[in-house]
Amino acid sequence: MAFEKTPGWLDWYAGPTKPRFKLPAGAVDAHCHVFGPGAEFPFAAERKYTPCDASKRQLYALRDHLGFARNVVVQATCHGADNRAMVDALTHSNGRARGIATVRKSVGDAELLAMHEAGVRGVRFNFVKRLVDFTPKDELMEIAGRIAKLGWHVVIYFEAVDLPELWDFFTALPTIIVVDHMGRPDLGKPIDGEEFGLFVKFMEQHPNVWSKVSCPERLSIAGPPALGGERHPYRDVIPFARRIVETFPDRVLWGTDWPHPNLKGHMPDDGLLVDFIPHIATTPELQRKLLVDNPMRLYWPEEV
Ligand code: 0GY
């Protein structure tokens, strides 16, 4: 089936540079997606955008180019609760990819077990209104109770202004919780202000909460460096991400977010994104925790 991309859709950048930062051996790209290809894995009817194709082969070529060893493939909303493209990516990874699924409450136990076999280790609950329709919280809680029995965790995606309203639901979840992109702080607000302070408190008070310190390209107001200019990446995000890495070094993850859904304005060079890492994890020890120890503990505990 042929799909027409959402008007203005930015395709992923096909010529990423080699990062200057050398990733530690065994580094995990803990947040990335596959899109289709639409002809093989059609996009979901309820999707809010139609992306370009971004296949498993292209994802794994990027992994090798950047120097990552493994991936965590997160179900993208354009595939709804049809996890076939993500699961297919896992089953063709030689054990080097784990996955995060989207499921409805109608999901069967056999289906959950089959996904576990393929390498799925969690579900994603998305609260970003431009991406998904509302799912009642009691349904999500029911799903969380079922997947907890498999040892899976819940990945949550929300925007900073919505944390107060979601707090009680999040803190009642029975699993590890992984927050996408630091709960999307508004960088127009101060790092020591109320909003980011609440996110830090969320992590401080709840030791089961982890955070991805990813997506500077999505959060930055300053934007990327000028073409051909210095390789200093997304400077305004650095203090926010660094604070989370330094305060919670054992509960942070990092990912490219390739193929970067819904970006407006520019598409990042993934090599440059990797060069962002040493600005937020400034010692070899912090880098090893962020890129190897933490994701291995969460996604490949049997190998740790
Ligand atoms: C991200 C961010 C976005 C999209 C999705 O599944 C998705 O469609 O996650 C976004 O638009 O902010 O992490 O990929």
Side-chain angles (χ1 to χ4, degrees):
M1 180 169 176
F3 287 92
E4 200 149 309
K5 290 183 286 189
T6 298
W9 183 267
L10 293 181
D11 292 358
W12 47 276
Y13 181 53
T17 54
K18 275 271 182 207
R20 289 190 190 156
F21 173 60
K22 193 173 175 317
L23 289 161
V28 181
D29 175 354
H31 186 93
C32 50
H33 311 284
V34 287
F35 296 153
E40 195 179 353
F41 301 107
F43 300 114
E46 71 271 27
R47 69 191 181 279
K48 304 293 184 204
Y49 62 82
T50 307
C52 61
D53 286 334
S55 71
K56 57 181 184 284
R57 188 182 50 75
Q58 291 160 329
L59 174 64
Y60 297 147
L62 180 75
R63 173 198 67 196
D64 296 343
H65 173 79
L66 297 176
F68 284 99
R70 305 178 193 227
N71 299 87
V72 180
V73 186
V74 177
Q75 173 76 355
T77 57
C78 56
H79 281 293
D82 176 351
N83 294 286
R84 282 175 298 170
M86 181 271 293
V87 166
D88 175 69
L90 305 189
T91 53
H92 289 87
S93 71
N94 289 323
R96 292 169 69 188
R98 296 288 198 229
I100 298 295
T102 295
V103 300
R104 311 277 180 238
K105 76 171 189 181
S106 55
V107 68
D109 287 336
E111 199 184 333
L112 288 177
L113 274 178
M115 283 198 276
H116 188 86
E117 275 296 301
V120 173
R121 293 294 180 268
V123 292
R124 191 182 198 204
F125 294 166
N126 201 320
F127 300 90
V128 178
K129 296 173 189 86
R130 66 184 164 78
L131 288 173
V132 285
D133 297 322
F134 175 75
T135 305
K137 293 203 185 74
D138 55 343
E139 277 189 31
L140 295 177
M141 198 53 87
E142 190 183 316
I143 291 168
R146 288 178 62 199
I147 62 100
K149 294 187 190 121
L150 292 164
W152 292 11
H153 60 268
V154 176
V155 172
I156 49 177
Y157 191 27
F158 61 93
E159 292 177 333
V161 286
D162 296 321
L163 180 55
E165 193 266 311
L166 293 163
W167 182 282
D168 288 345
F169 172 72
F170 289 162
T171 55
L173 287 168
T175 64
I176 284 180
I177 300 168
V178 179
V179 179
D180 280 341
H181 323 326
M182 300 185 284
R184 291 203 61 132
D186 177 349
L187 299 201
K189 295 180 182 166
I191 185 166
D192 52 1
E194 209 174 302
E195 203 172 83
F196 198 59
L198 188 71
F199 181 65
V200 174
K201 187 169 143 194
F202 181 45
M203 291 197 72
E204 252 162 22
Q205 291 187 349
H206 300 281
N208 62 324
V209 178
W210 295 41
S211 179
K212 293 176 195 163
V213 287
S214 40
C215 273
E217 74 287 4
R218 211 175 267 292
L219 302 174
S220 179
I221 297 172
L227 268 184
E230 268 294 295
R231 270 180 85 92
H232 66 74
Y234 309 106
R235 284 226 158 140
D236 49 345
V237 187
I238 292 172
F240 289 81
R242 202 168 153 176
R243 180 164 174 199
I244 298 299
V245 170
E246 290 177 359
T247 314
F248 309 104
D250 297 311
R251 290 190 267 144
V252 283
L253 302 169
W254 195 88
T256 55
D257 194 32
W258 188 90
H260 311 286
N262 292 312
L263 278 190
K264 308 273 182 288
H266 82 289
M267 182 51 63
D269 167 355
D270 294 279
L272 192 68
L273 283 179
V274 170
D275 282 346
F276 177 74
I277 297 172
H279 294 273
I280 63 167
T282 53
T283 67
E285 189 190 355
L286 286 172
Q287 290 159 8
R288 203 197 59 241
K289 285 177 181 236
L290 175 67
L291 296 162
V292 185
D293 297 356
N294 299 343
M296 286 302 290
R297 213 165 68 247
L298 193 58
Y299 291 101
W300 285 271
E302 67 282 3
E303 290 187 36
V304 175

